[in-house]
Structure formats: C-alpha cells, structure tokens
Amino acid sequence: MPSISNAWIVTCILLSLPIHFTISAAVNPIPINGTCHDTCGTISVKYPFGSGFGCGHPDFARYVRCNAGTLEFSTGTGIYNVSDIDYSSGTLIIRDPFMSTCSSMQNSGSFSLDRASPFTLTGENIFVLLGCSTNSPLFDPAEDLCAMGSRSRVCRGLYSCKGVTGIGLPQNAPPSTCCVYESPIQLAGYTLDLPKLQCSSYTSVYSFGGSEGDPMKWKFGISLQYNDSYYSNVCKDCETSGGLCGFTGFDQSFACVCENGKNTSTSCFGQGYAWSGTRESKILNKLSFGGLLLLWLLISI
C-alpha cells in the first residue's frame, strides 16, 4: 500500500482545525464588562436594574449602577444613593446627600429628572423649599406655585426642627420663607431649580411615617416610579436557568449572563451554545483526542 505524503497529512490536520475553532467560538461568546450580581450592598438588584454596565436593561444601566457596594442613581444634577427598591409596586427611593432633613439642614443643589428616562415622580412626594427669599417667584400670587393649605402644617413642622439653624434660620421661625412646592409632575421630566427660585435648600417627604405631627419620624427621600414593562419571556427563561438578564454588543442585544461569567442569547441551560465550562471542556477534550487519533492513524498507514 503506498504511503500517504506529508502534504496530505498536513492538509488533513488543517481541515480539522476550523471545526475546533468554530466550536470554541460558539461556546466562548464575548463576555460583558465585569460580572453581574443580584445584590448591591444590602439592596436586591433585579431586572430591569443591574449591578453594572452590561447588566439589566440598557435603558436603566445609564441611570442606575452599583459603585463599591452602593447603588447609585444618576441624573443631570448629580448622583444620588438608592435606599430602597420595591419591585412589587415598581418604585424606588433615592436620597440626595445634600437634601435637608429634620435633623440636618444645609444649602443644597437643584434636582432634575431626565425627560427621556424611564422614571417618573410618584404622587407621594411632597417637595418643600426652605430658606427662600420673600421676593422669590414662588410667592407670586399669579403663579400659585405653593400649596397654601399644606404649607402651614408641613413648613411649621420642618421649621420646628433644630436642624433649621443650618440654613441660618432660628428654630420655629415664621414659615413665610418656606414653600410646599406644587409642580406639574405628571409631565415627563422634572426640574427643581433652587437658584432660579431663590431658595437655599429643599427636601422631599414621601411618607409621614404615621406621625404627621413629629417631623423626626417623617421619611425623607424622593420616590420614583419606574417603567416595569421591559420584562420579557426570554428574560424569564434566563432567570429560571440561574442567569441574570443583561445586554452586550454595539446593538445592546439581550444577553443572559451565567454564573461562570459567560453570556448567551437564550439561557444558561445546556442548549445551543449556552454550555457550562465543564461541558465545554469535555467536548473540546474529545475533539482534541479525536484529532490526535486521526493524525496517528494517518502517520501509521
């Protein structure tokens, strides 16, 4: 029997290489940046939110992220801590570190909510502007920007706090420089411009904590409603398989992020190219062994 030439052996080996590389590419999809987690500090992180870029839904990733164990919410006016997320009601509470409370009042910046964001203010928020100039447009009778009925109750409660000295007012000062701010919050976007309104600070009360007469028990923060219509069957399948829903690529297409850090376009179950690292290793080992066996048979002919 004539022997097979070296060129023919090399050709056979080269022909076997594309199979190996093709399968390797299928079971090793491009990973997203970092690894997704289901918690950030003590807060549970579920879809559409994510612990970092590439996790959760892309429309939310630009606003919410986990930074050194702290879940943060970003807008054009600053970065705020997320103190709670209620997934059953689709709401989250954010805290402005410079926002006044009963125990501590200070000069604070403005607050805005991006018009294009998937967030809106809930009706529970009561925005209160403190230390305002008596010439502020808030007190223009034609504008009617302050809720006069609740102004006396809420403003007097806040001005009874010892923290009011932090904005240069005596405790129990007249509420003439305070405004319970009413704004068309049903519109997309929201802006609270303190310099324009000539006020030194603001706060937001989203709950009186069952004690309207004791401002120390009031819950301070900004309550936001988020759009929860992003959840889909493909994300549900991903979560059922133990993965976390995310996105990848320039087109920000859906990705199911598995525990081993790899991502698939479906789920983490052993189907398609969503293979675990163990199964992948076994398959590649079998292919490598098959290639060596083929080479040995060709040389021995």
Side-chain angles (χ1 to χ4, degrees):
M1 180 180 294
S3 60
I4 300 176
S5 66
N6 291 337
W8 174 247
I9 294 175
V10 173
T11 301
C12 291
I13 295 174
L14 291 175
L15 287 174
S16 69
L17 290 178
I19 298 175
H20 179 277
F21 290 131
T22 300
I23 295 179
S24 295
V27 296
N28 287 285
I30 300 174
I32 62 172
N33 296 331
T35 302
C36 297
H37 301 281
D38 58 3
T39 59
C40 180
T42 59
I43 298 180
S44 174
V45 179
K46 300 179 182 179
Y47 196 80
F49 302 108
S51 58
F53 187 79
C55 309
H57 193 279
D59 287 356
F60 289 81
R62 60 178 61 96
Y63 297 103
V64 178
R65 68 164 187 163
C66 185
N67 181 23
T70 300
L71 199 62
E72 297 178 338
F73 179 88
S74 300
T75 73
T77 49
I79 298 176
Y80 312 92
N81 293 342
V82 178
S83 60
D84 183 64
I85 300 178
D86 187 341
Y87 292 96
S88 61
S89 62
T91 58
L92 70 159
I93 305 298
I94 62 174
R95 289 291 303 273
D96 182 346
F98 298 105
M99 184 178 69
S100 289
T101 65
C102 185
S103 58
S104 175
M105 296 189 190
Q106 57 189 325
N107 292 336
S108 52
S110 301
F111 172 77
S112 70
L113 192 62
D114 298 345
R115 182 178 296 273
S117 76
F119 300 93
T120 56
L121 293 170
T122 68
E124 284 73 27
N125 295 293
I126 299 177
F127 282 93
V128 187
L129 305 183
L130 307 168
C132 303
S133 167
T134 54
N135 296 321
S136 169
L138 290 169
F139 307 122
D140 184 346
E143 295 294 334
D144 194 23
L145 296 175
C146 297
M148 301 304 294
S150 57
R151 169 179 153 185
S152 176
R153 173 173 57 89
V154 177
C155 287
R156 286 188 184 279
L158 287 171
Y159 275 18
S160 71
C161 299
K162 293 181 179 179
V164 75
T165 58
I167 55 174
L169 294 174
Q171 193 174 3
N172 295 313
S176 57
T177 60
C178 175
C179 172
V180 177
Y181 185 52
E182 289 194 337
S183 180
I185 61 176
Q186 69 272 17
L187 299 178
Y190 182 83
T191 300
L192 189 64
D193 191 337
L194 262 65
K196 181 179 179 180
L197 298 175
Q198 301 176 30
C199 299
S200 60
S201 185
Y202 84 95
T203 189
S204 175
V205 181
Y206 67 91
S207 173
F208 290 114
S211 182
E212 294 189 18
D214 187 357
M216 285 297 294
K217 296 182 179 180
W218 295 356
K219 295 183 179 180
F220 296 91
I222 301 174
S223 176
L224 300 178
Q225 186 86 38
Y226 66 87
N227 187 340
D228 60 356
S229 64
Y230 290 80
Y231 198 65
S232 61
N233 287 333
V234 65
C235 180
K236 181 179 179 180
D237 293 340
C238 170
E239 293 177 343
T240 301
S241 70
L244 295 175
C245 303
F247 59 96
T248 187
F250 292 107
D251 60 349
Q252 297 184 330
S253 57
F254 175 82
C256 181
V257 186
C258 304
E259 291 183 359
N260 57 11
K262 296 177 181 177
N263 58 324
T264 80
S265 61
T266 53
S267 71
C268 297
F269 288 129
Q271 57 183 356
Y273 60 74
W275 295 342
S276 67
T278 302
R279 184 177 178 185
E280 170 194 343
S281 299
K282 289 180 179 179
I283 292 175
L284 292 182
N285 287 338
K286 289 180 180 179
L287 288 172
S288 299
F289 175 77
L292 292 174
L293 180 61
L294 175 62
L295 178 61
W296 179 80
L297 290 174
L298 291 173
I299 294 176
S300 62
I301 296 177

